[in-house]
Each structure stands twice: as structure tokens, then as C-alpha cells.
């Protein structure tokens, strides 16, 4: 059914569209069709649906009276929402899950929390390590690596030291820890590092004599913990300077060589 002009203006006004009509004929404009300003019929009763279009109420006045009622801001009365039935009381809503678990015939929907896993603390927790490992037939040389000196230069110096001690066929490995940049990401990282050092001691160091140049870690307590997992104090040769410090100072190289001559038997 074609809506009347009163209904059309009503719907357009609800959408914020304001109509206007020319007081006189506009030159060149098409003739205005005859508009039906008859009063709208009473709407038929339709089922209450959320998507159903609500027709405007039938008005006994003119279009002007209808528009006046719209301008006054009169809104059709909306039915009140029915009260929720069987709504739980605040006491029941706030009742702890532990009270409902013991009731017979009632299943608890609360998630079961697993006991927190406890990881024993380790002196190597939150430790960052960058260490070079060079192994020959008789010795294994360890030293912390520095980013300020070429890695190739530090490796070449370590191989020269082992060759001076009579070792050939030197193999180079590098141990970087942790796997991620942030050591706190790994849970129980200290225990994992301990197992890694013990595996290094069994598979790489073995029966070889350990030569440790400089501190493996800047903190003294951490350095001692690292060495404790790598070798005993009796069979370890130690130098005060790391490879990075030796590379730029010939005097330190000579001092290290004198120290190794005193500690290693059979070296001329």
C-alpha cells in the first residue's frame, strides 16, 4: 500500500530529513504530482517482532498537527521490560565455589587449579654467557668472548696458544647462553645451564687439561659456579687475562707464556 503524504513526512522526519515546498512554480521544473494528504487509516495489528516497522499513530488532525507533535519531542510509550524470572540473589552469585562443590548432586563449574610447579633456585639463574671453547688432544682452552675484538682474531690467538703447548688439530666451539636474549624468559634456566656445562665437561673436556683465560663471567660468584661445573681446581691452568685483553697487548702475551711454562711440565 502506498503511504500517504502524512506518513511519508513522518518517516522522513524521524530520519532527520526536513521537507520544503516551493511557494510558486519553479521555471523549468516538472509539475508537482498530486499528493495524498488524506488521513492515514488505523494500522492493522501485527505480531510483536523486534524487526517489525512501527507505523505512526493515526492522527485526527492535519499534517501540520502531526509535524507539531513530532517537533514537541513526543515519543510513543515503550513497554517496560518484564522482570527477569528466577534471577539469582546477590548472595547466591557471590557464593564461593568451595561451598557448591560439597553439595550433593551439584557439579562444580569452577576450574580446577593445578598446584604450582616449584623450581629450585640455582646460582646460575639469569646468567648471560658468551664463551669460546677450543679443544686439542691434550688441552681445552676456555675464554669469555668480547664483542669489541674480532672473533676471528680471538680464535686465532687461542689456537696459537694450544699449538705452543704442543696440541694440534684444534677444534673450536662457541657457547652462548641463554637461547633467548632475556635470561628471565626461560624457567629454571640455571639448572638447564648446569646440565649443559656438565655435558661439556663429559663430552668435550673429558681427560684433557683445562686452560681458563680470564674470568668466564664478570661476577666472581657466578664465575666460580661456572668453573665448578667444568673442572676441579687441581687440574686447571689459569691466566688472568682473556683472549680479548691478550690480543692487544704483547706484554700480556709474554706473561701468559711464562706462566704456562711454569705450570705445564715438559714445555721448553
Amino acid at each position: 500500500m502506498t503511504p500517504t503524504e502524512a506518513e511519508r513526512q513522518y518517516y522522513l522526519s524521524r530520519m532527520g530529513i526536513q521537507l520544503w515546498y516551493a511557494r510558486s512554480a519553479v521555471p523549468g521544473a516538472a509539475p508537482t504530482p498530486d499528493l495524498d494528504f488524506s488521513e492515514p487509516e488505523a494500522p492493522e495489528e501485527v505480531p510483536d517482532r523486534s524487526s517489525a516497522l512501527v507505523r505512526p499513530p493515526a492522527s485526527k488532525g492535519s499534517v501540520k498537527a502531526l509535524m507539531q507533535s513530532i517537533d514537541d519531542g513526543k515519543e510513543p510509550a515503550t513497554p517496560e521490560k518484564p522482570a527477569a524470572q528466577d534471577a539469582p540473589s546477590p548472595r547466591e552469585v557471590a557464593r564461593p565455589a568451595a561451598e557448591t562443590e560439597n553439595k550433593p548432586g551439584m557439579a562444580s563449574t569452577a576450574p580446577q587449579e593445578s598446584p604450582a610447579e616449584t623450581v629450585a633456585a640455582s646460582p646460575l639463574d639469569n646468567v648471560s654467557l658468551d664463551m669460546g671453547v677450543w679443544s686439542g688432544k691434550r688441552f681445552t682452552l676456555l675464554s669469555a668472548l668480547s664483542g669489541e675484538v674480532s672473533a676471528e682474531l680471538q680464535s686465532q690467538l687461542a689456537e696459537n696458544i694450544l699449538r705452543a703447548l704442543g696440541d694440534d688439530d684444534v677444534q673450536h666451539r662457541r657457547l652462548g647462553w641463554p637461547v633467548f636474549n632475556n635470561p628471565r624468559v626461560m624457567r629454571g634456566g640455571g639448572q638447564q645451564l648446569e646440565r649443559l656445562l656438565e655435558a661439556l665437561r663429559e663430552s668435550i673436556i673429558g681427560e684433557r687439561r683445562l686452560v681458563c683465560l680470564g674470568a668466564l663471567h664478570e661476577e666472581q660468584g657466578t664465575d666460580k659456579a661456572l668453573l665448578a661445573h667444568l673442572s676441579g681446581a687441581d687440574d686447571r691452568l689459569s691466566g688472568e687475562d682473556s683472549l680479548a685483553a691478550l690480543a692487544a697487548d704483547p706484554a700480556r702475551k709474554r706473561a701468559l707464556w711464562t706462566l704456562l711454562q711454569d705450570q705445564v711440565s715438559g714445555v721448553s
Side-chain angles (χ1 to χ4, degrees):
M1 181 181 67
T2 303
T4 64
E5 184 63 17
E7 291 178 316
R8 192 174 75 89
Q9 291 189 23
Y10 174 82
Y11 291 130
L12 293 176
S13 65
R14 303 308 295 172
M15 293 186 291
I17 302 175
Q18 184 177 0
L19 300 179
W20 65 275
Y21 296 90
R23 296 179 178 272
S24 59
V26 179
T32 302
D34 295 334
L35 299 178
D36 181 11
F37 284 94
S38 61
E39 301 300 331
E41 299 177 357
E44 299 178 359
E45 294 184 359
V46 295
D48 185 9
R49 298 176 182 175
S50 58
S51 60
L53 179 64
V54 179
R55 297 174 60 86
S59 173
K60 296 183 180 180
S62 61
V63 175
K64 183 177 181 181
L66 178 62
M67 297 302 297
Q68 183 65 31
S69 66
I70 297 173
D71 295 336
D72 292 341
K74 295 180 180 179
E75 297 290 343
T78 57
E80 297 182 357
K81 295 183 179 180
Q85 298 180 357
D86 300 334
S89 63
R91 183 183 299 273
E92 294 179 356
V93 173
R95 182 176 299 170
E99 296 182 6
T100 60
E101 289 178 356
N102 298 329
K103 287 186 177 182
M106 180 178 293
S108 173
T109 59
Q112 300 295 330
E113 297 182 357
S114 58
E117 298 180 1
T118 58
V119 179
S122 169
L124 298 183
D125 284 339
N126 305 326
V127 170
S128 297
L129 186 64
D130 189 6
M131 181 177 65
V133 182
W134 292 265
S135 295
K137 294 181 179 180
R138 299 172 54 198
F139 298 93
T140 296
L141 188 148
L142 302 179
S143 176
L145 298 178
S146 173
E148 299 179 357
V149 181
S150 169
E152 183 178 357
L153 179 59
Q154 296 178 76
S155 180
Q156 185 63 45
L157 179 57
E159 293 179 7
N160 292 341
I161 292 174
L162 290 181
R163 289 192 178 98
L165 295 175
D167 251 349
D168 294 328
D169 192 18
V170 178
Q171 297 181 357
H172 175 211
R173 298 172 179 82
R174 186 169 183 172
L175 174 60
W177 187 265
V179 179
F180 304 100
N181 293 332
N182 186 357
R184 292 178 174 82
V185 173
M186 300 183 61
R187 188 174 185 181
Q191 293 183 351
Q192 298 182 35
L193 179 56
E194 291 176 1
R195 289 192 290 268
L196 180 60
L197 295 175
E198 292 172 359
L200 175 63
R201 178 178 182 174
E202 295 177 0
S203 60
I204 304 300
I205 299 177
E207 299 297 329
R208 299 177 179 88
R209 199 167 185 184
L210 185 63
V211 179
C212 185
L213 301 182
L216 300 180
H217 196 274
E218 56 186 3
E219 295 184 3
Q220 185 177 3
T222 303
D223 180 62
K224 290 182 178 180
L226 291 171
L227 293 174
H229 289 280
L230 292 172
S231 69
D234 297 337
D235 58 347
R236 183 173 66 243
L237 307 178
S238 299
E240 296 182 356
D241 301 314
S242 65
L243 290 173
L246 293 170
D249 194 338
R252 293 185 178 184
K253 292 179 183 178
R254 290 192 294 269
L256 174 64
W257 178 243
T258 302
L259 178 63
L260 293 179
Q261 282 182 322
D262 295 338
Q263 294 183 2
V264 181
S265 60
V267 178
S268 57

